[in-house]
Amino acid sequence: MGRKMEWAGRANHMGGIPRKLVFMAVGAFAKAVATLLNTTSVHNADTLIRLVQSRPPGVPLLTVSNHMSTLDDPVMWGFKGFPSSDAKLARWVLAAEDICFKNALLSYFFRIGKCIPITRGAGIYQEHMNEALDRLSDGAWLHTFPEGKVSQEDGPIRRLKWGTASLIVRAPVTPIVLPIVHHGFEEVMPEKFLGGRRPPFPLCNKNINIIVGEPIEFNLPKMRQTAISTSRNLSLSTAGWHSASPNGNGMDEGAQRRLYATVSEQIQTVMESLRSFSRSFLKSKV
């Protein structure tokens, strides 16, 4: 299957008017849910806003967060002071193909909304991951949910999928990686509400808390060398794995796996620290 409606996601599609209209509407919806219907507080919001609006030219931004509900994106960008209706500044986001791209109408809407379809289980080198890599190559902002699926349990950050790590490693310019942890969306859009289903509309009078961390530093040259040296001692199955690295750095399958695992573990560790901080931060507010 080819890329679903990639043409609709281009900035020059119909002069950019559909994209502007969608972000005006979705931005207004996000603001209403986050600030009018519910109460949203954001820690370290200035760092996120600064990186979205004025990071160095050509340097991509990759934000990563936990995934508490189907409303996380776009509502997490609806807090006061964030340019949620600015189509040019808006994030690209990896979106589940089986949910957001079920038919032509949904596909068109989400494509205009800068969503990239990802097929669960299709691997980190699937066609649309290359599209995400293209956006990073353009210096754009990309958001991912590296846990890979919604979880409304109040537990530790789960083991991360390797897709996000592969984008960081393969990007021509290493992106600024900014971790975000949030709470409250599981109450605004609970997975099991009426008859075990989600409510038809977002619930009101809930507290949303968003904790923005600091950019994660990766020493990729050193991590690559470590991965190459340690992979020689590992016996890993390579079924379905690329026989050569897509970015031509000469790493074999074992080294690639080791590198992606190491990057993922570093992100998971930072996110879990942020989650622990958020719990103590929220307790201090009570």
Side-chain angles (χ1 to χ4, degrees), residues 124-125 162 165-166 169-170 256-264:
I124 62 177
Y125 294 128
W162 287 354
S166 76
V169 170
R170 296 163 62 198
Q256 290 176 60
R257 286 172 176 259
R258 187 67 254 157
L259 179 56
Y260 294 160
T262 303
V263 172
S264 292

Side-chain angles (χ1 to χ4, degrees), residues 212-229:
V212 179
E214 295 296 331
I216 304 174
E217 297 290 337
F218 296 98
N219 187 341
L220 288 180
K222 182 178 180 181
M223 295 169 84
R224 281 193 181 94
Q225 289 305 313
T226 302
I228 291 171
S229 60

Side-chain angles (χ1 to χ4, degrees), residues 4-165:
K4 278 189 174 10
M5 293 192 185
E6 186 181 356
W7 49 269
R10 294 172 185 161
N12 61 358
H13 170 58
M14 294 181 66
I17 295 174
R19 179 183 286 184
K20 289 179 181 178
L21 292 175
V22 162
F23 275 99
M24 285 175 61
V26 173
F29 167 79
K31 292 282 188 190
V33 174
T35 63
L36 296 179
L37 302 180
N38 296 283
T39 301
T40 298
S41 61
V42 186
H43 173 75
N44 199 25
D46 289 347
T47 295
L48 173 61
I49 294 173
R50 173 176 53 82
L51 290 173
V52 167
Q53 293 181 327
S54 58
R55 64 185 177 278
V59 177
L61 172 64
L62 179 62
T63 50
V64 295
S65 76
N66 56 325
H67 204 1
M68 297 295 285
S69 79
T70 54
L71 277 185
D72 294 358
D73 183 286
V75 177
M76 65 187 295
W77 318 120
F79 64 86
K80 186 177 180 181
F82 192 84
S84 57
S85 296
D86 190 322
K88 187 175 182 180
L89 290 177
R91 89 290 170 267
W92 288 85
V93 64
L94 303 186
E97 188 173 41
D98 59 330
I99 296 176
C100 301
F101 295 81
K102 289 190 289 189
N103 56 53
L105 184 60
L106 282 176
S107 295
Y108 183 68
F109 174 80
F110 282 105
R111 271 302 195 179
I112 292 173
K114 300 173 77 170
C115 297
I116 299 173
I118 293 299
T119 304
R120 293 172 180 171
I124 62 177
Y125 294 128
Q126 61 180 282
E127 184 178 14
H128 298 301
M129 286 295 284
N130 290 330
E131 185 182 340
L133 191 62
D134 289 341
R135 300 291 75 77
L136 291 178
S137 301
D138 295 338
W141 168 26
L142 175 71
H143 183 74
T144 73
F145 298 101
E147 291 175 299
K149 62 181 180 180
V150 169
S151 175
Q152 300 196 328
E153 298 175 3
D154 183 19
I157 299 296
R158 292 165 297 167
R159 179 180 177 275
L160 306 186
K161 304 294 184 182
W162 287 354
T164 296

